[in-house]
Every structure is written in structure tokens, then in C-alpha cells.
Amino acid sequence: MTRHATKFEADVNTQALNIPAQSTKDAQPEAASGDMIVKLSDVRRSFGDTPAIDMVSLSVKRGEILGIIGRSGAGKSTLIRCLNGLERPDSGSIQVEGLEITSLDERRLQPVRRRIGMIFQHFNLLSAKTVEDNIALPLKIEGQSRAQRKKRVAELLELVGLSDKAKHYPAQLSGGQKQRVGIARALAAKPSLLLSDEATSALDPETTRSILALLKDINRQLGLTILLITHEMEVIRRVADRVIVLDRGRIVEEGPVWQVFANPAAETTKSLLQVLTPELPPTLRERLNPASGDDAVVKVQLSGEAARRPFLAELIGARLLHGGIDTVQGEPVGTLFLGIPAHDKAALEKAVQYLKSNADHVEVLGYVSGDA
Amino acid sequence: MSQAMLDLLWRSFWETITMTGFSGLISLVAGLPLALILILTDRGGLAENLWINRSLGAVINGFRSVPFIILLVALIPVTRFIVGTSLGTWASIVPLSIAATPYYARIAEVSLREVDRGLIEAARAMGATRWTIIREVLVPEAMPSLVAGFTVTLVTLVGASAMAGAIGAGGLGDLAIRYGYQRFETEIMVAVVAILIVLVSGVQWIGDRLVERLDHRIVKR
Ligand SMILES: Nc1ncnc2c1ncn2[C@@H]1O[C@H](COP(=O)(O)OP(=O)(O)OP(=O)(O)O)[C@@H](O)[C@H]1O
Ligand SMILES: [Mg+2]
């Protein structure tokens, strides 16, 4: 991850690209929407009787990476497609850069769409065009001259590290390379917002990491607002600043990523998080006795300040059985399984109380005897 | 074979090329736009208009269901109006084109329909106009398939042009029937069939090579 990040930091030339950066905040006269680049209120879209998205209200801040997560069929694609008018809501209001787009016809949506880049799960590159012609298409649509396009395409190829593939056709590229072309194409017309619909779902973990690092870099260096939908918590963990959890078309949870990771409130969030949170190893779980034993097995979830404190030192005889601390958005978030001596009930109770006053969640799972 | 016979073969060969070439060209120029209209006006298309779609579809089906030999006769007044005569090679181009246009329109429609909807959506998301989507996405992406379909149309036209002999259009097919079939000159018959085989194989070969060059969906070598 760090390796990729450094690589692309070197590649990103913000000035040459001249994409509206964070400074647009001051440079551009803002409508009533203020710092919000996208604002949805009570948006609903039904297919037949069942709503795909149901009374969704949300705002996207300029310069942030907002992750939207949910299971298959939760309505993520429908929601993101509403933002550039590919999908029409039945009711509700959608504002993009202060402009209400729900009332615009197809022709008047076109200039709005040119301000919004989009990347897709299956890349959607034109097979009949070379890499450079694919990237140049949004510029052609904008009416740029051949010379302008050529210059801009060269910058973008450099940005995504594919300068040597300009004359290749998409079929000659790997999945990761195709998505880089997709990203370059989405950025070509200097959009103010980038929509990503499962952009890494068709890629292997290593390639996913490098694509996410590239997106994060673009966000940091160019200040580009990114709205990213996924069904993988790992993607959210790596790049998003804020997360919205969607379930059956409704927003069930919303907040800064590290807080949602540390304290998931909705059931959907918890189950989506399950893949990332450590669980008690089966060998240990099988030996668990609900009533008594040498050691109590305690599950501790903690985050933020609490996770930075040397709290283990306060627990006499406690051992770390399993788990660890992860860093989300620079904040420590972790799940630990501790073994605490259980012979002295009072001492155990005290230890648990101590943990409870520091951690987000503490649970005595049971007891084990012998060597745990 | 006598020099006169060779001359006759040569002339008939060019008559077939003329008939096939011109009616092929016309069916391409007229059929592709019809196919585009069918695609664009269909349900969920970029310019949905079911009334136009269904009407055009019905007209195309109408022409396609009339056997060519009947069309040939039925269109005599039209041909006379356009060309000035209803007889000869040039006159036959009218019924041939009118038969081949709906044929190619349907073939091209299938090619265009097979273009990945995701690509059209990507172009819409870029803010492309309808015309840009047609020019930059629909037609280029369908091109290998459109060319393959055009090759089929040309080969079919080579066969159909033989029937045009019925209105004195000449051509290889006509020659084979008059000399080979009616006068039992087997030599002519064999020569005509050989030329037709070479012609059809040649058209197919060129078409296949062209498709190969245009198709970038598979990695070559
Ligand atoms: N064009 C459509 N016609 C009918 N139903 C649709 C259409 N598009 C979406 N739906 C329905 O709306 C619901 C939400 O679909 P959507 O594609 O937004 O889900 P998603 O969260 O993107 O799922 P996935 O993770 O599988 O992509 C689903 O139940 C789906 O069947
Ligand atoms: Mg989806």
C-alpha cells in the first residue's frame, strides 16, 4: 500500500492537471448548498412495487471520499445512477453543485454529466478504440481540439502510470490496467465529482489495493470528491472518510469510517464488518466452558484514545489470546481476546469493570482451563 | 471454349459484379440507418418511440416476406419510373436493392443490439449526445459484426442476381440458365459455377479478413 502510494504521489502532477482542487471552495461562487457538492433529500425510486431506494437523504462534502456500502440488491447502483441522471427518481430532490437535476431533460443533463466522472465494475471501455482514444472520448464530447486532447491524454496516462500502453486496445490489458484507463477517462474532463460503482469488485486483492491507493492519491492531490460504492468493508476501510450503510434501499447507518468500524450500530453493518473483525479461534471456542475455569476469556472492542493507552499493564496476569489493533483513518480500532485469571472472582470483576470503563464493548465469553 | 463464349462469360461476370456491387452498396447505405432507427426507437432505446418502431418493423417484415421473384415482377412500374426502363442490368438494381435493404437492416439491427449496454451507459454518463453515442460507440463497437453481416448480404445478392435474369438483367446466373440449362451446354454451366464459387469465396474471404482487422475484442497472436 505504502509502495503504491509513493509511486503515484510521484506521478500525480497537480499543477499540470489543473483539476479544480480544494481551493475551489474559495474560488467558486457557491450556491446555497455551501460545501455540499451533492445533496439528496427524500429520494425514492421504485421498480414495480418494491422501492430500490427509499426516502434517502444524504450530502457529499467537497473533497471527501464517501463510501456507500450494502449487500447485493441494497440499491447502491440505483442510488449512484440517480446522481448523474442515468436513473430518474420517482420523488425527492437531487442537487449537484447547487443545481436541481431531477427536473432536467436528457439534453440539459449532458453538461451536468460532463462535470461528473464515473468508473464501473466491468470498466466499460470501448473495445474498438485504443487506450488513448478511450481516454480522449470525454474531451471529444466537450469539443476539444485534437491537439488539446493529445496533450491532456498524455498527462492522464502518466497519472495512471500507463504511458507505454497508449496505442494498445483494452483487450490487451489486465483488469487492473483497464480500470486505470477507466479512471483516466473519468478524470479526463476535469470533473468535480467521481462516482465509482464497485470499481474494484472484479479485481484481485493486490490490484484492488493499487487501484484504491490511486483513488486515494487522486483525492488527496487533486481534492477530487469521490463517491464510492462497494459491498466490501475492506474497500471502505482503505479509502473512505465517511461511510453510509444502505439496507433494502434505506440508510441504516452513517458516520466517520473509524467510528462506524469501532461501534457499528445497525445489524447490517455488524454483519458486513464480520469479515474484518477477528473471531475467537475455533480451537479455543470448543474448549469454552460457560461457568468456570482457570481463565476468563474476555472479548474487548476498543478504539481511539482507549486503544492507545497501555491498559494491559493494569490487568494483572492477563494474556492476549487472539486479535489485534488495526488502524482505520489513522485511528486505532481493534478487537482483542484476553485471558484473565479467574480464581479470584473479585479481581476478575474489577478487571472487567476497568475494561468496561475504557473500551467500547466488553464481553465475558466463558472460561477455559489448562493451557489456553 | 470459343472466344465469343469467353467474351460472353466476361460480360456476364461484370454484369453480376455490377448488380451485386451497386445493390449491395445501396442496401448498406439505406439498411444501416433503418437498423439504427429500429434500435433507437425500441423500448428502452435512446429515442424510444414505439409507434415508429412498430410501423417500420412491419414495413420491413412486409418486404421480407415477399419472395424475390414476385418482388421482381411487382416492382416493374417502380423500376421503369426510376431507371426509365424495366429491362437490363441497371434496371435489376432497383428490385435487388429493395429486397436487400430490409434484409441488411435486420442483420445490422442484430449487430447493433449486441453492443454492450454498459458502453452506451458509459457514454451517456460522459454527457455524450445521441449522435455522439451513435458515431463513437454504437457503430464502431458493432463494426466487425456489421461487416460480417454485409458479407452475408453480398453473397445472398450474388445468388439473387441470377433470378434477375428473368427481367433480362444478364449476369452469370442468367448465362448458366440460358446456355447451360436450356441448351445443355455443360461446359458453360461448369464454367459459370466455377466462377460463382470463386466470386463467393473471394467476397467471403475479404469480408473475413476485414472483420479480423476490425475486431479488437480478442487479443491477436
Ligand atoms: N432496471 C431495473 N428494473 C427492475 N428492477 C431493478 C432495476 N434496477 C435495479 N432493480 C432492482 O432494484 C434493487 C436494487 O438494485 P441495485 O442494482 O441498485 O442494487 P445494488 O445494491 O447495486 O446491488 P449489487 O451489489 O448486486 O450491484 C434490486 O432489487 C434490483 O432487482
Ligand atoms: Mg450494483
Side-chain angles (χ1 to χ4, degrees):
Chain A
M1 167 104 187
T2 337
R3 187 171 55 84
H4 289 292
T6 357
K7 180 173 181 296
F8 288 108
E9 253 150 34
D11 285 344
V12 175
N13 183 342
T14 324
Q15 265 172 350
L17 279 160
N18 190 24
I19 286 180
Q22 265 123 347
S23 57
T24 25
K25 254 185 257 175
D26 340 294
Q28 224 168 291
E30 277 297 308
S33 57
D35 265 2
M36 298 303 169
I37 188 164
V38 173
K39 210 165 166 354
L40 269 70
S41 330
D42 298 334
V43 174
R44 171 181 264 159
R45 173 72 167 108
S46 304
F47 295 105
D49 289 336
T50 42
I53 48 172
D54 197 5
M55 301 304 274
V56 166
S57 300
L58 65 89
S59 299
V60 188
K61 293 192 206 81
R62 240 175 232 288
E64 79 168 333
I65 302 186
L66 174 63
I68 297 182
I69 191 167
R71 291 203 193 82
S72 188
K76 307 180 295 291
S77 296
T78 308
L79 178 60
I80 207 167
R81 287 157 49 83
C82 280
L83 299 186
N84 57 5
L86 290 177
E87 199 77 70
R88 299 298 191 133
D90 302 326
S91 63
S93 138
I94 301 172
Q95 287 180 12
V96 178
E97 295 190 298
L99 179 71
E100 178 67 44
I101 65 159
T102 42
S103 54
L104 299 182
D105 60 20
E106 191 76 9
R107 184 177 296 274
R108 282 192 295 171
L109 269 172
Q110 283 159 8
V112 178
R113 287 177 179 155
R114 290 171 200 170
R115 308 265 310 133
I116 303 175
M118 192 166 191
I119 51 178
F120 306 87
Q121 177 172 2
H122 298 295
F123 324 122
N124 291 355
L125 301 178
L126 301 175
S127 72
K129 289 191 192 299
T130 57
V131 165
E132 57 182 3
D133 288 344
N134 264 285
I135 298 174
L137 186 54
L139 306 172
K140 215 169 174 179
I141 289 169
E142 255 191 358
Q144 289 196 15
S145 73
R146 186 180 294 270
Q148 280 174 309
R149 298 201 299 256
K150 201 174 155 66
K151 183 165 167 288
R152 177 78 183 143
V153 167
E155 290 166 5
L156 287 155
L157 280 169
E158 190 152 324
L159 173 78
V160 298
L162 287 177
S163 298
D164 54 330
K165 301 275 191 260
K167 307 275 183 216
H168 284 55
Y169 284 92
Q172 298 167 299
L173 304 180
S174 72
Q177 290 169 335
K178 281 182 200 163
Q179 198 56 290
R180 281 169 193 275
V181 177
I183 291 171
R185 183 177 69 176
L187 296 178
K190 299 175 184 172
S192 55
L193 173 67
L194 180 67
L195 306 178
S196 159
D197 189 347
E198 304 268 13
T200 57
S201 298
L203 304 174
D204 62 67
E206 172 76 10
T207 316
T208 294
R209 278 195 288 277
S210 88
I211 291 292
L212 293 179
L214 174 62
L215 288 178
K216 186 97 193 168
D217 260 18
I218 288 164
N219 163 260
R220 260 199 305 245
Q221 310 267 321
L222 314 175
L224 185 67
T225 313
I226 302 179
L227 207 154
L228 183 142
I229 67 176
T230 178
H231 60 267
E232 293 168 307
M233 270 294 181
E234 177 64 16
V235 171
I236 299 283
R237 189 183 81 85
R238 282 191 183 273
V239 294
D241 301 316
R242 210 153 56 86
V243 62
I244 282 175
V245 183
L246 212 58
D247 186 33
R248 271 164 284 172
R250 287 175 171 273
I251 293 178
V252 292
E253 188 152 5
E254 180 174 3
V257 171
W258 76 272
Q259 275 179 17
V260 172
F261 268 61
N263 271 313
E267 276 313 311
T268 318
T269 322
K270 284 179 191 162
S271 77
L272 282 165
L273 270 171
Q274 226 153 39
V275 285
L276 288 186
T277 37
E279 286 188 63
L280 198 59
T283 48
L284 206 55
R285 196 170 54 225
E286 278 162 20
R287 289 171 45 211
L288 225 46
N289 179 320
S292 65
D294 297 339
D295 287 295
V297 177
V298 185
K299 180 181 179 180
V300 182
Q301 284 174 285
L302 69 179
S303 62
E305 215 35 61
R308 290 204 186 91
R309 273 201 289 272
F311 69 97
L312 273 180
E314 305 281 330
L315 307 167
I316 295 138
R319 298 171 295 154
L320 178 60
L321 299 175
H322 186 69
I325 307 268
D326 204 353
T327 307
V328 179
Q329 283 188 289
E331 292 289 338
V333 174
T335 301
L336 306 177
F337 294 92
L338 301 176
I340 302 175
H343 300 295
D344 184 346
K345 291 282 178 215
L348 173 63
E349 187 54 34
K350 203 165 146 249
V352 170
Q353 283 312 321
Y354 170 77
L355 284 171
K356 278 189 174 157
S357 63
N358 281 289
D360 297 328
H361 183 81
V362 178
E363 186 184 354
V364 180
L365 300 173
Y367 301 85
V368 283
S369 299
D371 221 17
Chain B
M1 210 179 284
S2 68
Q3 185 59 42
M5 266 303 149
L6 282 177
D7 284 347
L8 200 56
L9 271 176
W10 182 246
R11 211 183 68 210
S12 302
F13 173 74
W14 277 110
E15 282 164 355
T16 295
I17 294 285
T18 309
M19 285 188 281
T20 310
F22 276 91
S23 49
L25 210 63
I26 291 168
S27 71
L28 177 67
V29 171
L32 188 56
L34 288 179
L36 280 167
I37 292 172
L38 283 175
I39 289 289
L40 297 175
T41 57
D42 201 5
R43 197 182 296 284
L46 290 171
E48 186 176 311
N49 186 328
L50 292 183
W51 192 86
I52 292 182
N53 186 272
R54 301 292 180 256
S55 313
L56 182 59
V59 172
I60 287 176
N61 287 346
F63 273 99
R64 291 218 44 212
S65 44
V66 180
F68 180 61
I69 194 78
I70 293 175
L71 204 62
L72 206 57
V73 178
L75 284 173
I76 284 177
V78 179
T79 307
R80 191 174 290 140
F81 177 76
I82 296 174
V83 191
T85 168
S86 61
L87 288 173
T89 307
W90 292 100
S92 74
I93 290 173
V94 174
L96 279 172
S97 304
I98 289 176
T101 298
Y103 182 77
Y104 185 61
R106 282 299 187 198
I107 292 184
E109 183 196 359
V110 174
S111 303
L112 293 168
R113 206 178 285 287
E114 272 164 8
V115 172
D116 185 354
R117 290 190 71 89
L119 301 182
I120 295 163
E121 183 156 305
R124 279 180 71 206
M126 285 175 216
T129 59
R130 260 196 309 246
W131 175 236
T132 306
I133 295 175
I134 293 170
R135 214 185 42 206
E136 302 284 344
V137 183
L138 263 178
V139 173
E141 288 297 315
M143 193 53 91
S145 177
L146 287 172
V147 170
F150 185 60
T151 309
V152 172
T153 306
L154 278 183
V155 169
T156 308
L157 274 171
V158 171
S161 71
M163 271 186 261
I167 58 162
L172 289 165
D174 186 39
L175 187 70
I177 288 171
R178 278 191 289 128
Y179 287 78
Y181 180 69
Q182 289 166 354
R183 298 193 202 164
F184 303 104
E185 291 190 33
T186 322
E187 209 183 11
I188 287 272
M189 184 83 123
V190 170
V192 165
V193 170
I195 293 171
L196 283 174
I197 289 175
V198 171
L199 182 61
V200 167
S201 309
V203 168
Q204 191 64 50
W205 188 85
I206 293 170
D208 288 348
R209 293 295 83 74
L210 213 54
V211 170
E212 214 168 76
R213 284 193 61 159
L214 289 168
D215 196 347
H216 299 290
R217 285 170 299 190
I218 38 161
V219 185
K220 279 152 209 171
R221 266 170 294 123

